[in-house]
Each structure stands twice: as structure tokens, then as C-alpha cells.
Amino acid sequence: MRIITPNNNQLKLIPRDGGDMWNRLVFESSPYLLQHAANPVNWYPWNDEAFQIAQKENKPIFLSIGYTTCHWCHVMEHESFEDSEVSKLMNDTFINIKLDREERPDIDNVYMEVTQMINGRGGWPMTVIMTPDSKPFFAGTYFPKTTRSRRIGMMELVPSIKTMWINNRDSLLSDAKEITEKLTKNQNALSSKQIIKDDILDISFNYYVKKYDANFGGFGDSGIGREGGKYSKEFFTEPKAVVMQI
């Protein structure tokens, strides 16, 4: 069923928490977030307020990431996020955040790496549970309402996390610390500390000017005749070596 969200004039009359009919997503512009604006789950968008409340109430964060045309996102919404039993458990246990991966691909990329790190694979909907200061300790994708075969359901998962948060929090914090450190290490490995000099464009231009073949076109000399291509293997390999020497 398609939800008809309030217009701008009606939004002015709705309290910040969404009131009785909506949650905080009703004030968002993302079509995906608006699809969840009438869920009984007390959703927050990704913002400082959500993390501040999580820290104040000392609750873990349930982060759900998806996008408008995601089939299993809609399935999980119908089975769990629209369900009064599941939403009651979620609201009691977590500060719940909904994120549109198409609106915030930067955040999606980070937590997809976490999900793949923990499970060896990822996908959407993406489900990440983390500490109030955004350190993840659990991640997965789609979860049904109740356990099916080897896939745990939300009715079992949420109480389990709540029990561990109350009785075995140190273990969860230790897992979160380890995962965050590994993620940081991976991110640093992808970043280059090499300084790019101001004259790199001039050096690159002059290099290709010297390599350019004004008669036959292309760069370098592969030894191929006029009828053949002039793009030699040297063209693809030398520039990298030259840049590394700068």
C-alpha cells in the first residue's frame, strides 16, 4: 500500500517525533525514508540527535540501510518494521536509524565493508548494530520476523542483543573495538601518504608531448607498421613508473 505523506502545511502541525501517526522520517525528503515514515518503529534519520539520545539512554544503535527499489528491503519492512511485536522490541532495545544508501553512499560504503568483514558477504537491506558511539559489533542483511532454518529472526535476535548488552556488555565493546580497529587499518591501507607536487600536471604533460607520434598518432613506439595500432604496451606501463619517481 502506497503511503500518502503530509504536505508542507500539514508537516508544520506534526510534532518533531512524528506524533501518533508518523515517526521522524516524515520530515525527510528521501523517497526511501518516507516509505518508512509510518512504521511503528521509532526511526531516526542519520543525524547527531540520534547518537546523542543513544548515549544519553545508553542504548545500542540499530542501523538499517536500504534503497527504494530493493526487494528484500520491502520484505523486511512488511514482516518486521510494520509489525507491532517487532517494533515494540526494537523501540525498547535500540535507538533505530534508517539510512538511504543512495542519499548517503559514503556511510553505506563504510558499513558495507563492516558487513563483509564480519560475514564474508553483504547486501541490502543491511543491518548493523553498534555502540552509542557508532562502533559496530554485529552486522547482517535480511532477517525475517521469526527464525527460519539457519537464519535467526528479529523476535529472537533483538532480545538476544538486549540480554548481551545488559549482562555481557564488555564482550560486545571488545568486539566493537576490534572491528573498528580492523576497519581503520583497512581504510588507512587504501589511503596514500605520498605528497602530490604542484608541478605534477606540467611534468605529465611534457612526458606525453615527448611520447606523442605526430605522424601516425598515439604514444610511444611499438614497432608496429602504419597499418597497425600505435598504442604500445609502453604507453600503459611507463606513466605509472614515472609518477612513482616524482
Side-chain angles (χ1 to χ4, degrees):
M1 183 178 67
R2 182 172 178 268
I3 296 173
I4 306 299
T5 53
N7 59 38
N8 289 335
N9 290 329
Q10 292 170 330
L11 284 175
K12 295 176 182 178
L13 303 176
I14 298 175
R16 288 183 65 244
D17 64 359
D20 295 332
M21 294 183 60
W22 311 97
N23 56 54
R24 288 169 176 80
L25 300 184
V26 74
F27 300 104
E28 297 300 304
S29 59
S30 158
Y32 174 67
L33 297 185
L34 288 173
Q35 288 175 359
H36 293 267
N39 292 167
V41 176
N42 186 20
W43 290 119
Y44 288 79
W46 179 282
N47 57 24
D48 291 341
E49 180 189 13
F51 289 94
Q52 290 167 359
I53 291 177
Q55 292 179 21
K56 181 180 179 181
E57 298 185 8
N58 201 18
K59 284 184 175 182
I61 290 171
F62 183 98
L63 173 63
S64 178
I65 303 177
Y67 57 99
T68 308
T69 58
C70 166
H71 170 71
W72 287 104
C73 297
H74 294 301
V75 172
M76 189 167 178
E77 177 189 19
H78 178 66
E79 292 179 345
S80 295
F81 303 149
E82 293 178 351
D83 184 85
S84 59
E85 289 183 295
V86 176
S87 61
K88 187 177 184 303
L89 287 175
M90 291 178 64
N91 292 339
D92 182 55
T93 305
F94 305 119
I95 297 300
N96 302 288
I97 297 178
K98 253 292 173 191
L99 183 80
D100 182 350
R101 68 175 295 260
E102 294 175 324
E103 188 176 55
R104 294 299 306 268
D106 53 331
I107 299 173
D108 175 70
N109 287 339
V110 171
Y111 288 105
M112 177 57 75
E113 184 173 349
V114 169
T115 303
Q116 292 173 335
M117 188 190 306
I118 293 174
N119 299 287
R121 57 189 175 85
W124 299 275
M126 194 191 315
T127 302
V128 182
I129 302 177
M130 50 191 174
T131 64
D133 57 349
S134 74
K135 293 185 173 72
F137 57 82
F138 177 90
T141 53
Y142 160 78
F143 294 97
K145 176 181 176 179
T146 56
T147 299
R148 298 177 191 164
S149 186
R150 297 173 61 185
R151 187 180 293 270
I152 191 171
M154 291 290 287
M155 292 296 294
E156 294 77 35
L157 174 64
V158 178
S160 176
I161 295 292
K162 181 179 181 179
T163 299
M164 290 189 68
W165 186 253
I166 294 172
N167 299 325
N168 199 16
R169 188 175 306 178
D170 287 345
S171 177
L172 294 181
L173 296 178
S174 177
D175 290 344
K177 182 174 182 291
E178 182 179 344
I179 292 169
T180 303
E181 288 175 350
K182 186 175 181 180
L183 177 64
T184 301
K185 183 178 180 180
N186 290 349
Q187 294 290 325
N188 290 339
L190 296 174
S191 302
S192 174
K193 296 181 180 178
Q194 185 176 0
I195 298 175
I196 300 176
K197 296 184 178 180
D198 294 337
D199 60 352
I200 188 170
L201 292 179
D202 291 332
I203 293 174
S204 301
F205 176 77
N206 291 330
Y207 173 81
Y208 286 110
V209 166
K210 293 177 181 178
K211 288 291 182 180
Y212 180 67
D213 188 328
N215 294 321
F216 298 107
F219 299 85
D221 182 8
S222 66
I224 299 176
R226 185 186 298 264
E227 69 281 359
K230 288 294 295 181
Y231 291 90
S232 68
K233 182 178 179 182
E234 178 186 4
F235 170 65
F236 295 101
T237 57
E238 276 201 23
K240 181 178 179 181
V242 171
V243 172
M244 292 300 292
Q245 292 169 9
I246 294 173

